[in-house]
Amino acid sequence: MFHDPPKMVLLLLSALGLAIGAGLWMAGMPGMAHWAWGAGVVPVLAALCVEIIRSLIKGDVGLDIVAALSMSAALFFGETLAAAVVALMYSGGTVLESFAEGRARREMRDLLARVPRTATRHRDGQLEKIALDAIMPDDLLLIRQGEVVPVDGTVASEHAMLDQSALTGEAMPVRLMRDMNVMSGATNAGEAFDLRATREAADSTYAGIVRLVEAAQKSKAPMARMADRYSLLFLGVTVALAVAAWWFSGDPIRAVAVLVVATPCPLILAVPVALVAGLSRAAGFGVLIKGGKALEAMARIRTLIVDKTGTLTDGRPQIVSVSSSGELTEDEVLYFAAALDQASQHPVAQAVVAAAHSKGIKLGVPSKVNEIPGEGVSGTIDGRDVVVGGMDFVAGRMAVPVRDGGPQEPGAVLVSLGVDGNLAGELVMADALRSDTPMLLAGLRQNGIERIVLATGDRHAVAVAVTDGLALDGVHADLTPDQKVLLVLSERKNGPVMMVGDGVNDAPALAAADVGVAMGARGAAASAEAADVVLLVDNLARLLPGLIVARGARRIAFQSVIVGIGLSVAGMIAAALGYLTPVQGAVLQEVIDVAVILNALRSLRIDPGPMPPQATQGESQAASPISQGQTA
């Protein structure tokens, strides 16, 4: 959908003026034809002059000045047909560029929509629904299962199970005991609990992240168009040739011809066409790039900062290993644990069930189920008494003492299984590294990425353990959202920076980076809004073809510019020597435009090569090691 109606109106007016003038000329009314051509030029020239004045006030000098000079000179010296052709080319180029740019930023409505509008408060022995703004410190709130915590506070119940992955990057749900601090924006992953508010909504963690995103977006310097970076040089050459042609020949029409040929349509047209084609090509690989500026910036990236949870890792607990402590086989341990866990909504329990299903295990139906949220589940499977949960929970129901499972790897969770009063086995859960990550990082380095840095809110020990063996240039853990922004700014000394993330805590850094990339399918709405690029499939491997397409599209745009400007300079010299009239110069410029546009359209055929295996599979197939038969 086109989002700039005024530019479309100017294009239609210039086309209408040129068409009517041509009709009048063929009808034998040249005087009226000149008036029609001039009438089509005036609106475009007026809008162009206003834009030039605004740019000059900001201290920007662009190639639009050349287009304004050529139209003005052509009108002044009666070359209205040449002026009309230039006006059509220029207005068409601005429409195309505006279409390429699209709407790179929307309002933060999706981010704000995640913040609850109301809360449930205890008052005089009853529950009442109140507006978010009405929450005051020391209010007692009820947080139901699945609800987002509306304000910062402390746990007022015995315990609470919270998913803080969107805020801290910690993939596993966290069990908080009474009086422990809770951040707004976390999701209740367990049973309902009471929260004692410690801050008003406007002062809470989540609201602060929203402000950080808005501030980072405002402070982010916009990229100049590729065309503008050559504007001063081209403008100087054009004016010098036009003045010299007039001075030495005494004929002002030669100067007009030079200006008409010099109209920078190869720059104005070729760049947006190549970038639009690149945007379309990247979208075919599941990479949504929000506009031409973002694609051009992506092509120049030298440093990649990547979050851990949901990017390098799957972002969900997976079975790393299964061990048997008795007569059961490892598959039977998985069977009993998964069968009973069907009765639980806990993320770890659901991951156990998913692992069993991925191995094709048909699960029995649990009965006599009793769950203690955050601790474990007990019940009956196939007539046998089964207990699944933490070691302490299972040990309390065993007939004999249970040995200590020993220290686990950082970030891992131990799930114990008891059957008929005896310890039957253990399952180790962790947020595992995506299997294609090493290959992906190598591919990114081969395509121009010089530094790859990890930035996560997770604990340092977890970050180091998960990324062990990866060729990273730095690991930064325990980061808050503002610290991630500072890391992005500090890495700029090494070149343009790309930040990849999927959580709410990543949104400010995504907005501050030269290019922010969000995991769109399962990531937070805040990240998708703040980002310049959204991966429509939650797989970081999609970034590689997107990067290759961006670099290819920019290279093709640059080639089109060099060839187009080279031909334009040759035409300017011919016009200065009197070999081209203004109308011939305008027609020649049209031929050059067609040539550079056809070249720019090659961006539609950029081939990034074979996709990494994981990038071509569905999200459900980003399988855990247990599904591939890897057990301890």
Side-chain angles (χ1 to χ4, degrees), residues 101-106 217 289-294 528-532:
E101 195 63 34
R103 194 167 68 179
R105 291 288 181 269
R106 300 197 302 267
Q217 286 181 336
I289 304 176
K290 298 180 180 179
K293 287 181 182 177
E529 286 300 328
D532 304 288

Side-chain angles (χ1 to χ4, degrees), residues 65-381:
I65 294 177
V66 179
L69 284 175
S70 64
M71 281 186 272
S72 301
L75 287 178
F76 183 79
F77 291 106
E79 297 288 341
T80 52
L81 176 56
V85 173
V86 172
L88 180 63
M89 290 188 296
Y90 178 80
S91 58
T94 58
V95 166
L96 201 57
E97 184 178 36
S98 182
F99 175 78
E101 195 63 34
R103 194 167 68 179
R105 291 288 181 269
R106 300 197 302 267
E107 296 296 327
M108 296 294 293
R109 62 178 179 270
D110 286 342
L111 172 59
L112 296 175
R114 190 175 184 273
V115 181
R117 300 299 179 187
T118 60
T120 304
R121 181 173 64 185
H122 291 274
R123 175 61 62 88
D124 299 329
Q126 308 232 344
L127 293 175
E128 61 176 356
K129 184 173 286 189
I130 60 172
L132 199 64
D133 294 340
I135 299 175
M136 300 299 294
D138 207 40
D139 279 349
L140 186 63
L141 307 176
L142 174 66
I143 311 298
R144 298 184 177 90
Q145 185 175 27
E147 286 186 343
V148 176
V149 177
V151 296
D152 291 349
T154 59
V155 179
S157 301
E158 289 301 317
H159 57 60
M161 184 64 64
L162 292 168
D163 177 1
Q164 300 183 131
S165 59
L167 296 169
T168 66
E170 179 78 45
M172 310 297 286
V174 178
R175 188 167 186 259
L176 301 181
M177 306 307 293
R178 182 184 292 274
D179 296 329
M180 294 183 71
N181 293 326
V182 179
M183 292 185 291
S184 59
T187 302
N188 182 9
E191 297 297 317
F193 72 95
D194 290 333
L195 176 82
R196 181 72 64 182
T198 56
R199 294 183 183 179
E200 297 180 11
D203 297 326
S204 290
T205 301
Y206 198 80
I209 290 176
V210 174
R211 288 193 292 271
L212 275 173
V213 172
E214 294 172 336
Q217 286 181 336
K218 291 177 181 177
S219 65
K220 182 175 178 179
M223 278 197 56
R225 294 178 303 173
M226 182 186 292
D228 291 340
R229 292 200 287 275
Y230 306 97
S231 58
L232 286 176
L233 176 61
F234 191 79
L235 177 61
V237 170
T238 299
V239 173
L241 268 176
V243 171
W246 190 354
W247 178 269
F248 289 107
S249 69
D251 183 5
I253 299 303
R254 289 197 184 186
V256 174
V258 170
L259 291 174
V260 168
V261 177
T263 302
C265 287
L267 283 173
I268 295 173
L269 291 173
V271 173
V273 167
L275 299 188
V276 167
L279 297 178
S280 176
R281 185 62 171 161
F285 292 98
V287 183
L288 177 62
I289 304 176
K290 298 180 180 179
K293 287 181 182 177
L295 184 140
E296 189 180 344
M298 191 174 179
R300 299 186 302 110
I301 292 301
R302 291 293 176 267
T303 299
L304 171 66
I305 300 176
V306 61
D307 180 43
K308 176 184 70 67
T309 304
T311 50
L312 293 182
T313 67
D314 187 56
R316 294 177 292 190
Q318 300 176 8
I319 294 181
V320 174
S321 65
V322 177
S323 61
S324 174
S325 302
E327 61 182 22
L328 300 181
T329 66
E330 292 172 358
D331 280 353
E332 288 172 333
V333 169
L334 179 58
Y335 165 79
F336 280 107
L340 184 58
D341 273 340
Q342 292 178 104
S344 174
Q345 290 298 318
H346 194 281
V348 172
Q350 293 302 301
V352 173
V353 174
H357 285 159
S358 71
K359 295 194 69 175
I361 298 176
K362 187 176 181 180
L363 301 178
V365 178
S367 60
K368 301 179 182 178
V369 176
N370 181 33
E371 180 177 9
I372 298 181
E375 295 188 17
V377 188
S378 61
T380 300
I381 301 293

